[in-house]
């Protein structure tokens, strides 16, 4: 009996079905005229009561991209973002930069202006903008930041193309991919291909694993013969299991663990081997140094490694192939999954290390613990001074916030100049409870906080952002989305009068120049009536401004109570012009 021919259906229907088949649960969207068939297909699926990814409408692409990034940051699973032709792509590019540098899987889908001029096919040009939104090379907008790009030529390829996109974005190192969908293609009828042919079992991502036994033995011998082994990391905590592996190996080897500009919690702040956030002193004393999931372990113009140090770099991409320049040498470059290698090393050392080597490691752990306690005491002392009216202490603010939130609440860190205060005075102990960004694009934390809250509805999510970053974050879109979809987040705005990082950068290069003499760095953002919290209030958020130390704790308590009741909250804290 002949196989029946599938009934042709709208190509846009297949896009939704194959996104669902790939495991995409959410599509974050800012739609336009190019999405008409996708909108019609979605209504059709709802009428049929067919499952499909949930559509989250975002008033700005910055929020859409960073919501997908937030979900990827805490789940490891890439979601889809739909934007409007070249205009929406351009708005999304900064988010793609952040996703690229942070290794977050993400599928950016842009509609494409139709080509047909005179209604040759359904979906052809019928609007002025279809002429002006058709650049020569739309992919050039995103090409520096994506692993793969493609334009869907016809609907029958939708399953294969989406599976390819899904596999590439999740393969090591993960990152964003880009797909464009012409309007005529979405509107054409196409027989539905089988989703089973393109299952994850046959087209899954490529993952790194561990290392061979000879490499393992060589690395373990280096570690156990070291007098001062030190590990440097920044984003090892993207894999929660790697945190436990690092903590275990550090105790076993007596190895100090330094986080420089971390974008994830990589080691418990109360672990005996946690060595703080300043790499300089540790680079100077290390005889064996491990670079573990880190892009910039220190600043070369400030820190010089010693010639006698043996450097071991473990990462899925130790070459840093996405960086035109890099500049950190290592004697052993190991392309492997870091958490797996750390577990292999611990197992090998337990089986082969001498009692004398293990005893020396135990003594080093005792010394590291004493240093950690002393360092923590200094931090605690610094946080006791609350500051004054209009110029509160960032350290004190973080210390108070740390007392009020739960150990498993998730902090999204975009404090920029005040990052040291967050790291030193807002204690985090568990993997996944501190999330930052590996890129240089400001304005990420609002969208990321929403995406994390969507992925982790049982957790409080606290966004910490500087006043300059708050401007970049398209905040009206953040709180409109929070209100519409019931995603209560707490935003703490650190109001220090502008872009203090710009001022500091000028002083590093021109410490005695005219900008210093005139105290004019083109970085102040002060307006007499600016009230960041009022932006949240316009979209239903609880809003407060803190001007004095006595106001701080009660304001934060009220804000946390608000989000526990399902209402977003914005608290602006005046740190003063700095």
């Amino acid at each position: 009996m002949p196989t029946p021919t599938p009934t042709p259906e709208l190509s846009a229907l297949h896009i939704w079905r194959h996104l669902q088949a790939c495991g995409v649960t959410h599509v974050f969207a800012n739609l336009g005229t190019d999405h008409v068939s996708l909108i019609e297909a979605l209504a059709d699926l709802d009428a049929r009561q067919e499952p499909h990814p949930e559509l989250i409408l975002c008033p700005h692409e910055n929020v859409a991209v960073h919501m997908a990034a937030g979900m990827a940051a805490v789940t490891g699973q890439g979601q889809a973002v739909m934007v409007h032709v070249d205009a929406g792509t351009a708005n999304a590019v900064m988010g793609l930069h952040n996703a690229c540098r942070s290794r977050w899987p993400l599928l950016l889908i842009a509609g494409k202006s139709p080509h047909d001029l005179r209604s040759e096919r359904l979906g052809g040009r019928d609007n002025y903008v279809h002429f002006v939104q058709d650049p020569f090379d739309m992919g050039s907008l995103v090409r520096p930041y994506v692993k793969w790009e493609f334009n869907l030529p016809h609907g029958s390829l939708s399953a294969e193309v989406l599976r390819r996109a899904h596999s590439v974005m999740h393969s090591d190192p993960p990152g964003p991919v880009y797909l464009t969908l012409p309007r005529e293609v979405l509107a054409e009828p196409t027989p539905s291909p089988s989703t089973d042919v393109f299952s994850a079992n046959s087209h899954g991502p490529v993952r790194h694993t561990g290392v061979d036994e000879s490499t393992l033995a060589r690395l373990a011998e280096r570690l156990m013969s070291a007098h001062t082994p030190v590990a440097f990391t920044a984003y090892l905590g993207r894999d929660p299991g790697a945190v436990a592996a690092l903590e275990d190996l550090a105790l076993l080897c007596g190895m100090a663990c330094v986080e420089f500009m971390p974008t994830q919690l990589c080691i418990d702040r109360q672990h005996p081997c946690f060595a703080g956030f300043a790499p300089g002193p540790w680079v100077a004393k290390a005889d064996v140094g491990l670079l573990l999931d880190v892009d910039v372990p220190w600043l070369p113009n400030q820190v010089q490694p010693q010639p006698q140090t043996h450097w071991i770099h473990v990462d899925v991409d130790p070459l840093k192939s996405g960086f035109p320049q890099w500049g950190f040498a290592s004697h052993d470059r190991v392309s492997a999954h870091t958490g797996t290698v750390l577990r292999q090393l611990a197992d090998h050392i337990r089986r082969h290390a001498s009692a004398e080597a293990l005893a020396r490691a135990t003594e080093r752990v005792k010394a590291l613990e004493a240093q950690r306690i002393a360092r923590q005491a200094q931090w605690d002392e610094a946080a006791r001074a609350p500051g004054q009216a209009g110029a509160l202490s960032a350290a004190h603010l973080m210390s108070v916030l740390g007392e009020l939130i739960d150990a498993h609440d998730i902090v999204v860190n975009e404090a920029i100049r005040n990052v040291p205060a967050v790291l030193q005075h807002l204690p985090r102990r568990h993997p996944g409870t501190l999330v930052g960004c590996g890129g240089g694009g400001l304005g990420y934390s609002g969208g990321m906080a929403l995406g994390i809250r969507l992925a982790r509805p049982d957790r409080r999510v606290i966004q910490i952002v500087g006043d300059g970053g708050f401007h970049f974050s398209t905040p009206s879109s953040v709180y409109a989305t929070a209100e519409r979809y019931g995603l209560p987040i707490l935003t703490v705005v650190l109001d220090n009068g502008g872009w203090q990082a710009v001022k500091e950068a000028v002083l590093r290069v021109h410490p005695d120049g005219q900008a210093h003499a005139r105290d004019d760095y083109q970085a102040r953002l002060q307006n007499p009536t600016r009230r960041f919290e009022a932006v949240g209030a316009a979209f239903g958020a609880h809003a407060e401004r803190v001007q004095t130390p006595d106001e701080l704790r009660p304001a934060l308590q009220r804000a946390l109570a608000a989000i526990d009741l399902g209402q977003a909250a914005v608290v602006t804290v005046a740190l003063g012009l700095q």
Side-chain angles (χ1 to χ4, degrees), residues 493-541:
V493 183
L494 309 180
D495 185 359
N496 61 8
W499 290 305
Q500 299 305 315
V502 173
K503 174 182 175 179
E504 291 179 354
V506 172
L507 290 174
R508 284 196 299 271
V509 179
H510 303 288
D512 301 313
Q514 285 298 315
H516 173 257
R518 298 169 63 86
D519 191 27
D520 187 1
Y521 303 94
Q522 306 301 325
R524 290 175 179 161
L525 294 175
Q526 287 186 307
N527 299 84
T529 61
R530 72 176 188 168
R531 292 291 182 269
F532 296 113
E533 66 280 3
V535 180
F539 295 91

Side-chain angles (χ1 to χ4, degrees), residues 210-230:
V211 294
D212 61 86
E213 191 63 30
S214 62
T215 302
L216 190 64
R218 185 178 75 252
L219 300 182
E221 175 59 29
R222 283 280 183 188
L223 266 179
M224 292 313 294
S225 62
H227 296 288
T228 314
V230 183

